[in-house]
Amino acid sequence: MRDDTFVLLTTVPIKAGCEAEYLALVYEVSDQMRHEPTFVDTVLHRSADDAGLFMLQETWRDRADYFAVQMRRPYRARYEARLPELLRAPREMKVFEPLRTDRAEATADSAPVAALERFYAAEANYMAAGGARGGASFAPLAETLAPDVVLHQSPDLPWGGEFYGHAGYEDWARQMSEAFDALEVKDRQLVASGDTAVAICRLVTRSRVNGSTINAPMAQVVRVREGRIVEFRPFYWNAPDYRDAVGSAR
């Protein structure tokens, strides 16, 4: 680690009955702060003996920037304003300097990989049932996705854009169902680190418009929270092929 890296441990004792509200607030902040240039990682812990006792473990670079800039970010305002009403005792914040980090190598049974495998199975069943065009139920696929899931699709693609929540994801799935009558993820290799899984695979699709088949490399970066996918960012090979395949379907 760089010499300016530090770890902030914050113990947060929450009143009984307020745990769900606290988690919603802290997840909201975590989903924003991970985009900060000095952010490294964060882990939220809960006491095994006290359901209302949490510990937030944050790793950052540049301690001065954290307290002068990061703590004052607008997206923290709601959390900081509401937290005093949720606390049953003052929170405690302590700063540590990391000395050594050891991690096990990512394995195929890690939680993010397992979540991604569940998604692929549900997606395959959804497409086999005809997708949205064929009236397939989206519910089993939705079970693999967090309610606040975000899907980032490259603007170079016919279905490019940002898709938010189950409704947004279902809209994207409808677009894919209208464009392709077959879609399969093959030869996938999955690795995980922390809350993130990366899939290296081949995407095989068949166009409803002209019957053409694309069999191309693809990578997907997926972030998982509590066993469900909360963020999806796929990377396609040669976007013009997909534009040609979709043609008048868009």
Side-chain angles (χ1 to χ4, degrees):
M1 286 191 176
R2 283 171 39 172
D3 292 342
D4 60 352
T5 299
F6 72 97
V7 176
L8 179 66
L9 296 182
T10 306
T11 303
V12 188
I14 297 296
K15 295 174 183 175
C18 297
E19 296 90 352
E21 183 179 357
Y22 168 74
L23 288 173
L25 288 169
V26 77
Y27 287 162
E28 184 178 282
V29 172
S30 296
D31 287 343
Q32 294 295 321
M33 73 183 186
R34 64 189 181 81
H35 299 291
E36 300 291 351
T38 57
F39 176 80
V40 177
D41 62 33
T42 185
V43 181
L44 178 64
H45 306 269
R46 174 183 245 159
S47 170
D49 304 313
D50 182 348
L53 182 60
F54 300 89
M55 182 178 72
L56 188 60
Q57 174 187 326
E58 302 174 57
T59 306
W60 293 82
R61 295 184 294 270
D62 195 337
R63 181 173 173 180
D65 175 83
Y66 178 84
F67 288 101
V69 178
Q70 301 304 331
M71 286 291 288
R72 300 178 183 179
R73 291 294 194 199
Y75 58 75
R76 289 181 179 265
R78 197 159 77 97
Y79 174 85
E80 295 294 340
R82 181 60 180 148
L83 186 60
E85 298 299 319
L86 304 180
L87 291 171
R88 66 178 192 241
R91 63 178 166 177
E92 295 184 5
M93 304 173 71
K94 294 185 178 180
V95 175
F96 292 81
E97 295 180 358
L99 300 180
R100 169 173 165 163
T101 299
D102 296 285
R103 293 189 178 93
E105 292 185 3
T107 60
D109 61 352
S110 63
V113 167
L116 191 51
E117 289 284 18
R118 286 194 297 272
F119 167 83
Y120 284 140
E123 182 183 53
N125 291 336
Y126 178 76
M127 291 302 296
R133 187 184 179 102
S137 172
F138 182 74
L141 193 56
E143 281 298 311
T144 69
L145 306 171
D148 56 343
V149 64
V150 180
L151 170 63
H152 308 277
Q153 292 283 358
S154 169
D156 295 333
L157 294 164
W159 50 85
E162 306 281 317
F163 300 85
Y164 297 94
H166 287 174
Y169 203 100
E170 187 172 12
D171 176 52
W172 170 81
R174 176 190 56 77
Q175 294 182 42
M176 294 295 282
S177 178
E178 291 175 352
F180 302 106
D181 60 9
L183 185 152
E184 186 177 2
V185 177
K186 289 187 173 183
D187 303 328
R188 60 182 179 264
Q189 301 176 51
L190 308 179
V191 294
S193 178
D195 64 353
T196 301
V198 176
I200 301 170
C201 57
R202 300 191 71 81
L203 180 66
V204 183
T205 58
R206 186 175 62 224
S207 171
R208 288 188 187 275
V209 177
N210 55 29
S212 64
T213 297
I214 300 175
N215 185 337
M218 184 170 121
Q220 296 173 308
V221 181
V222 175
R223 191 166 59 86
V224 172
R225 185 179 69 217
E226 296 183 345
R228 293 186 178 188
I229 295 172
V230 73
E231 185 176 27
F232 224 129
R233 193 181 298 271
F235 298 86
Y236 298 80
W237 177 259
N238 201 12
D241 285 351
Y242 292 98
R243 293 199 296 270
D244 292 343
V246 170
S248 61
R250 290 287 287 170

